Amino acid sequence: MKNIIVFAGSNSSHSINKQLAGYASEQLKVSTPKVLDLNDYPLPVFSVDLESEHGFPDAAIAFNDELDQCDGIILSLAEHNGSYTVAFKNLFDWLSRIDKNTWKGKPMLLLSASPGGRGGKSVLEAAKSRFPLHDVQIVETFSFPYFSDNFTAGRIVNE
């Protein structure tokens, strides 16, 4: 695999999931990761009426194009109230309308980090059950609890 896209399911500028996804991509020795930021893909809140009236937003089309062109995906999901963040869910909703095979059969490393002890396990479980319905090959998942205790200066400090 050569063209890996890397992103976090968060629009926070201080996202620990962005940090984890970036760290994971740095461990790849045979690929060139392309880090995407949800903030670079501003989208209106999904609605069928909006889609019918205006079609797909340019930002959703651009993100879909990134998925078309990649060989694999590293995604680290932030968890808000036991589920996806609004920013990620909105992107996912738009993408799934463009192509129900949202993930294009690509292999995905699925991660989640949290400041607490569960490590985003609820959002990982939701994604593990939902994403295969959108054509993905989840090759591995990783839940990373107590992020600030276990990750310092851009690296894992507690193996």
Side-chain angles (χ1 to χ4, degrees):
M1 277 189 255
K2 294 195 178 359
N3 183 17
I4 307 297
I5 60 169
V6 179
F7 68 105
S10 172
N11 61 351
S12 170
S13 60
H14 303 290
S15 169
I16 61 177
N17 283 281
K18 285 181 188 177
Q19 293 175 55
L20 181 59
Y23 175 78
S25 72
E26 291 168 5
Q27 307 314 302
L28 300 173
K29 304 297 182 205
V30 294
S31 66
T32 306
K34 181 175 185 178
V35 179
L36 305 179
D37 187 324
L38 295 189
N39 292 306
D40 295 332
Y41 299 87
L43 294 166
V45 174
F46 175 78
S47 87
V48 173
D49 295 337
L50 189 60
E51 178 189 342
S52 295
E53 191 173 325
H54 300 286
F56 300 119
D58 291 342
I61 293 168
F63 203 98
N64 186 65
D65 290 346
E66 293 289 354
L67 291 171
D68 280 336
Q69 296 168 24
C70 77
D71 298 313
I73 303 161
I74 296 175
L75 170 56
S76 189
L77 292 170
E79 182 176 292
H80 288 185
N81 297 314
S83 191
Y84 310 117
T85 66
V86 170
F88 175 77
K89 179 66 166 77
N90 192 46
L91 172 67
F92 186 41
D93 287 345
W94 280 112
L95 291 172
S96 69
R97 297 294 287 195
I98 293 171
D99 184 348
K100 68 178 179 155
N101 296 319
T102 311
W103 306 116
K104 326 282 187 202
K106 309 293 171 96
M108 176 186 284
L109 172 60
L110 184 59
L111 314 168
S112 185
S114 77
R118 288 191 35 84
K121 287 183 181 180
S122 294
V123 75
L124 278 179
E125 288 302 316
K128 284 174 21 181
S129 67
R130 184 74 219 173
F131 286 5
L133 302 174
H134 295 271
D135 197 22
V136 73
Q137 298 173 39
I138 298 174
V139 295
E140 189 63 65
T141 62
F142 181 68
S143 169
F144 194 12
Y146 302 114
F147 187 81
S148 62
D149 296 336
N150 295 314
F151 192 90
T152 305
R155 65 183 184 85
I156 294 175
V157 294
N158 181 353
E159 298 294 329

